[in-house]
Structures are given as C-alpha cells and as structure tokens.
Amino acid sequence: MEFSNLVNIGYVISLVTILFSTLISVLELSTIPNHYFNFIYPQINELNLNKNKWLKIHLLQIIAIVITVVFFFSKIDMLFKISFLALTMLTLYSYVNRTAGKDGADQLRMLALLVFSLCFLLNANFERIVPLCFLGAQVVLGYTTSGIAKLISPYWRKGDVLHLIFGTYSYGIPKIAKYIKAYPKIEKIMSYSAVLVMLAIPITFIIPNQYAILIALGAIFSFHFATAVLMGLNDFLYTFPLTYPGVILLHGLIHNYIIL
Amino acid sequence: MLIFVIIVLAIFMVASTLYQIKYFQKYLNEFDKLQLLPNYSFFAPKPYANDFRLVYKLNEDLNSNWEELDMYKEFTFKRIIWNPFKYYNKGMIDICQYLIQEQNVINDKEVLKSSVNHINIILSIYRFLKDNNINVESVKFAIITSEGDKDLKIKSLVFCSNFQNI
C-alpha cells in the first residue's frame, strides 16, 4: 500500500478515536451528580461553584466535536482545523481546572489533542506523519514503563495482587475477587499475563516483524478491554488505541517495511 | 516550522522519558504547569488495594452515628462504555490524598479548615445532605482507609476534622 494512503488511514483512525474518546468523556462529566461536582472541579472560584456554567462549557465541547467531524469528512480543511483548535482549547480549559479525578487516559487524550493541533503548523506532508509517530513513541514508552514497573515490583512478582485490586470499593467486583482469591494459580497467571502483555509492546517493537507488533497490539487491546470490564476503566479502552496507528507506522519506518 | 515542532516534541519526549524515573519527577513538576507529563507506572510498584472512604457526623451530637458518603456502584456491563462514577470516585480519593498531604505539613486543624480540599469535602457533604433533604447546622468528617468492597471494613483513620458550621 502506498505510504501516503497508509498515513491517511492511520490519521483518520487516530482522529476519530480522539474525538470519540473526548465525546464520551465530556458526556460522562456532564452527568456527574451535583453533590460530587466539587470532587471533579475542586478549585474554589465563581466558575467552579456553578455547575450550570460547566454544563455550558461541556455543551460547547460537544458542538465542537460534531462540527469537527462534519468539516473533516466534508474535506473543508480550514474550518476543520479551526473547530479542532476550539475543541482543544475548551478541553484544555476543562483539563486544567479538573485538578482531581484525572487519570492516564485523560492525559493521553489531552496530549493527543495538543499534538494534533501543534502539527497544523506543518505542511501537508508532515502534518499527519509527525503526530502519529510522536504518539506512537509515547505509548511505547508508556507500556515499557508500566511493564518494567510491574516486573520489578515485589507485589506483582508475588502474583497475589489482583484479588486485592478487584476487592476494592473503587475498582472491584466482589465475586471476581473472591473467585481468584480461591484459585491463587489463576491469579498468578492473570498477574503475570498483565506484565507480559505490557512488555510485549517494547519487545515486538524491536523485532523487525510486522505481525509480531500487530499481535502485541491486539493483546494489549484485549488487556484494556478486560480492565474496562473488570475495573470500569473504560476510557483507557477507547483512548489508548488512538496511538496504535502511530506505533505501526513508526515500527514500519524503523524496520523499513514502510518506505517514505 | 518543521524544526520548531520537532524540537518541541523532542523536548517533551525527553521530559516524559525522564519523568518515569521518580528522582526527576519533583524537578520536572516545576515546569509542568499543565500537568501533561504522564506517569505511566499504573498500579505499580505498589498496586491500589485500599480505598479512602469518607464518613461524616452531624450537629455535634456525641450520640449520633458516623455515616458514609456512599458512592459505591455495583458492577454492570454498561460500564465498558459508560462509567462517570470513575471520575468522582477518583476525584474524592485525590482530594483526600491532597488533604492528608497538607495535614502532614500543617498540624493545626483550624488552619486546615481554610484548605481548598477541606472546603470541597465539606461542600460535597453539605450538598449531599441538602439533596436528601437533611437539615444540618454543623458537620465533621473523617477519612478512613478500608479494605474490601461495599461494606466498610476500617483499617485506619487518616484524618478527622473538627465540627464545622455550615
């Protein structure tokens, strides 16, 4: 497949994923119960004490997402970029004010919006390649760090942490926790699988085989699906895949099966 | 323009790589005003196994019980797509952690009353009570660690406020 087609496909996948991820996040934030609003926007100022104003900002974000999609697929480039920039600024404003309750998916989403926006400064050749490659590199770093941190952790190496995590108020499913506590071998397999799946990304990234990296990405996607089901971390499931086209592109460029 | 963008992204890439090492985090935090530098350790090295739970008591009545600001959500499959609970639960945990960090520096509870994190907890409890049509003149709260899911199994008390008029 021609290089430019590959880049375009990767860009579309990443862009649609960012927009979908942002949409779900904004909709979820819009439905936070009134009495828990200060856990999300804890700064004490006139704006943060007024939930209605935040709902208006969320509504503007939703409108920005919709018109970005329309302009992108209508190939109205200038308006697409303006609406995307507006979305980025609104999301950044919300992100900066949300000094609590953020997680890794929020950071990656915000970073992706900013990087895509920054790369609008580039010409058509690089506007799509650069953000994809950067985000691909970021996620390889992320999975490498996560895998190594678990590998060197005495808790994870012991293989008995999952029943504690699944047994929590925040992330738990009591029946699952009870089941895996009763079967420690299964718990060990699950714990070690989590570590291996994380480390598979940097390992297959070094190997010059395109199928290996695809399998590793499939495995890590399954891991994110599992954490969405078992722990409610749904935003990782539909945020992290925005970087996967970049991983494939970067891997192909480094190992010369994708030629510029 | 390409060189400018590449330099910016390269600096961020180096910074985010260094940020994965704990030693560099406190230096890099000085520059990271937007909190964009990601910490990718995710549940490692020590996994999240104990929750913070918020409990409160009303109206300076020594005989009144401690009640929990209950946010527990039962498992449903729809949380694969839709799970707003994760935001306010994590937000509550973050606020509690910030307050505990402040307590480690400022021992005086009267001074801590003016902490944003303290005020946010009081505001949240007040709104919760108001939405449930419970009238209250004063409230005190405590942050406890607990293990297990829905039922409270206290492990330790990490913070207890004084009664505060609201």
Side-chain angles (χ1 to χ4, degrees), chain A residues 9-36:
Chain A
I9 290 168
Y11 189 85
V12 170
I13 292 171
S14 268
L15 181 74
V16 168
T17 310
I18 293 170
L19 294 175
F20 177 74
S21 168
T22 309
L23 178 65
I24 299 292
S25 172
V26 170
L27 287 171
E28 284 178 337
L29 287 168
S30 304
T31 62
I32 302 294
N34 191 42
H35 39 273
Y36 298 136

Side-chain angles (χ1 to χ4, degrees), chain A residues 28 38 42 95 153 169-170, chain B residues 35 45 51 71 83 86 120 127:
Chain A
E28 284 178 337
N38 283 66
Y95 180 86
S153 161
Y169 178 84
S170 304
Chain B
Q35 296 183 339
D51 289 294
M71 295 192 290
N83 189 25
K86 63 177 183 289
N120 273 310
R127 282 183 175 155

Side-chain angles (χ1 to χ4, degrees), chain A residues 30-54:
Chain A
S30 304
T31 62
I32 302 294
N34 191 42
H35 39 273
Y36 298 136
F37 214 67
N38 283 66
F39 289 152
I40 312 287
Y41 297 105
Q43 294 188 59
I44 303 296
N45 56 42
E46 196 237 318
L47 177 60
N48 285 28
L49 290 172
N50 188 331
K51 188 184 175 191
N52 287 334
K53 284 186 181 171
W54 273 112

Side-chain angles (χ1 to χ4, degrees), chain B residues 75-124:
Chain B
F75 168 78
T76 57
F77 274 107
K78 82 168 183 194
R79 73 181 190 175
I80 299 169
I81 294 292
W82 186 256
N83 189 25
F85 165 77
K86 63 177 183 289
Y87 285 121
Y88 54 88
N89 183 246
K90 176 124 193 332
M92 184 272 283
I93 292 165
D94 286 345
I95 299 279
C96 289
Q97 275 175 335
Y98 299 153
L99 185 61
I100 291 162
Q101 284 165 12
E102 285 171 344
Q103 182 186 232
N104 292 337
V105 176
I106 308 164
N107 270 323
D108 189 343
K109 282 185 188 169
E110 288 304 309
V111 173
L112 273 177
K113 265 187 188 178
S114 56
S115 145
V116 162
N117 302 305
H118 192 283
I119 292 170
N120 273 310
I121 293 173
I122 293 285
L123 261 176
S124 300

